[in-house]
Amino acid sequence: MTRTTTLVAAGLAGLGLSIGGVPAGAQDFSGKTIELIVPAGAGGGLSRQAQRFSKTFSDHIPGKPTIKVRNIVGGGGQKGINFVFNRAKKDGTQMLWGPMNFPGLLFGLKGVKYVPAEFNAVGVIGVNFVTIARSDLAGGLKSREDIVKAKNFNVGARIPGGALGLFSRFSFDMLGIPYRFAIGYKNQPKLKAGLMQNEIQAISTGDIGYWVFYKNDLVKKGSAVDLFYHSSFPIGSDTPEDHGKSFGDVPNFVAFYKKAKGKAPSGPMFEAYKWFAAHQVWAMWMMLPPGTPDNVVAAMRKAYAANWADKRTVANFSKATKSAPFWLAGEKGGALLSGYTDIGAEAKAYLKTIIR
């Protein structure tokens, strides 16, 4: 197993789209303000996508309320999630927009104070992640596969168990590349600055961050290389789902591994990677707190589905990520929140070594 050093750098069945009859006028949010709580700093992909969704979401909520994005930063993202679960108003005016920390939940990490299945889930949007490295690594990356010659560089991330860090770590561990892991970058702008200043040499970002911060800047200029992207896996499959069409010739990690190593990935690390990708790619959950009345939950689920049927919403998201958005609801979404403990013993043991 690759040795690494850590541095500190700076009830869901009702989630379906077939909503039961809600009496006309049962909910009216006229004159109210709804807060979408984003558990990350402003300026990153989560906040940008929350802003995009809110532009048309209000049109589908009875009373067309004002919708504002509110950032609650702290605890590696857990402060905002904990707030919605434990303290948010139960009248539909405060909702979470953000990821679940499935590794933290799996291992009972300090600071995780919520139970996914007890949230009232409204829906979830998927996010592809991309791993990027400075092009001057290993004497210069003449091809993506040259990254396997690099060693002992710094990989930047927000927190130990977050998607940005783990997608990088899974990749470099499976490829057998030694690296150091640097945490504490509060958002993607900070990670980009670290990459530009050569403080760190590799990062992972969500698809929106890729287009906003890297593709048309560092990658286009040739100072960084987009190595591979990470998509979701159907449970039990070794083949990733093809959601990365917006990345052009950038391969998914499995295809990259096959080309670089001459064989398909396998073993506990790959099993852990598949488990993580199957759950954590679904990164933008809209959640109402436990105890929210059923009629409020139903109204928000109906509005959520209507917003995705709105051509303006789809066009807005597609413009940002260069591909159509993908999202889950119903039993598929519920399975992710209740089945995250299903992971093999060896894969779980490996995962435990890289999330702390």
Side-chain angles (χ1 to χ4, degrees):
M1 183 181 298
T2 303
R3 297 181 63 83
T4 64
T5 302
T6 299
L7 308 175
V8 176
L12 297 171
L15 186 57
L17 299 183
S18 296
I19 306 300
V22 179
Q27 289 302 310
D28 186 355
F29 290 87
S30 298
K32 294 185 178 181
T33 297
I34 293 176
E35 291 184 332
L36 296 185
I37 308 297
V38 175
L46 279 177
S47 293
R48 289 170 182 269
Q49 295 295 59
Q51 294 283 4
R52 282 188 178 86
F53 194 80
S54 66
K55 286 183 178 180
T56 46
F57 188 40
S58 177
D59 290 344
H60 305 289
I61 300 173
K64 297 186 177 181
T66 299
I67 299 180
K68 293 183 178 181
V69 174
R70 174 183 172 188
N71 298 85
I72 297 182
V73 183
Q78 302 317 297
K79 185 175 180 180
I81 304 173
N82 292 338
F83 172 84
V84 176
F85 187 83
N86 295 290
R87 296 171 52 197
K89 297 177 182 178
K90 303 180 188 303
D91 60 358
T93 61
Q94 290 182 317
M95 294 188 284
L96 176 69
W97 180 280
M100 298 287 96
N101 187 337
F102 289 109
L105 290 158
L106 190 66
F107 294 107
L109 292 185
K110 184 179 179 180
V112 179
K113 300 177 181 179
Y114 57 91
V115 180
E118 293 183 12
F119 274 111
N120 290 287
V122 177
V124 61
I125 305 172
V127 176
N128 288 308
F129 292 83
V130 185
T131 299
I132 299 169
R134 286 178 59 97
S135 58
D136 55 5
L137 277 176
L141 302 181
K142 296 180 178 60
S143 70
R144 292 186 172 95
E145 293 74 35
D146 284 344
I147 190 66
V148 301
K149 303 174 184 177
K151 60 182 179 180
N152 300 326
F153 55 89
N154 295 336
V155 176
R158 290 179 59 221
I159 59 174
L164 302 185
L166 284 186
F167 276 121
S168 295
R169 302 195 74 177
F170 282 128
S171 307
F172 296 134
D173 281 355
M174 281 188 278
L175 291 166
I177 303 172
Y179 61 90
R180 295 177 294 269
F181 187 50
I183 60 174
Y185 297 87
K186 70 177 184 178
N187 55 26
Q188 201 58 236
K190 295 294 185 182
L191 284 165
K192 180 183 179 181
L195 199 66
M196 294 176 66
Q197 295 163 11
N198 206 20
E199 182 178 273
I200 52 179
Q201 291 76 47
I203 58 95
S204 289
T205 178
D207 48 20
I208 184 64
Y210 171 75
W211 285 103
V212 170
F213 298 108
Y214 300 101
K215 176 61 176 178
N216 295 315
D217 187 7
L218 302 187
V219 173
K220 186 176 182 179
K221 293 175 181 177
S223 57
V225 176
D226 38 14
L227 299 173
F228 35 73
Y229 74 88
H230 311 275
S231 193
S232 60
F233 282 75
I235 301 298
S237 173
D238 290 341
T239 303
E241 295 178 300
D242 185 17
H243 293 303
K245 295 179 180 178
S246 68
F247 300 128
D249 64 346
V250 181
N252 65 53
F253 176 72
V254 172
F256 176 92
Y257 186 97
K258 289 178 179 178
K259 186 173 181 179
K261 293 292 190 178
K263 60 181 180 180
S266 61
M269 290 183 187
F270 185 49
E271 293 302 314
Y273 172 77
K274 290 191 299 178
W275 173 88
F276 186 77
H279 293 81
Q280 212 68 45
V281 159
W282 302 103
M284 297 185 193
W285 287 95
M286 180 176 280
M287 301 284 208
L288 288 160
T292 302
D294 290 346
N295 57 349
V296 174
V297 175
M300 288 303 173
R301 288 174 176 169
K302 185 176 181 178
Y304 185 87
N307 203 30
W308 282 120
D310 189 323
K311 293 181 179 180
R312 296 172 301 165
T313 307
V314 175
N316 197 8
F317 274 75
S318 298
K319 182 178 180 180
T321 61
K322 315 305 179 188
S323 63
F326 58 105
W327 54 286
L328 283 179
E331 294 180 358
K332 289 186 176 181
L336 295 177
L337 294 177
S338 59
Y340 65 87
T341 58
D342 187 12
I343 180 174
E346 289 183 299
K348 185 177 180 180
Y350 160 67
L351 182 61
K352 188 175 182 179
T353 68
I354 65 171
I355 69 165
R356 297 180 184 275

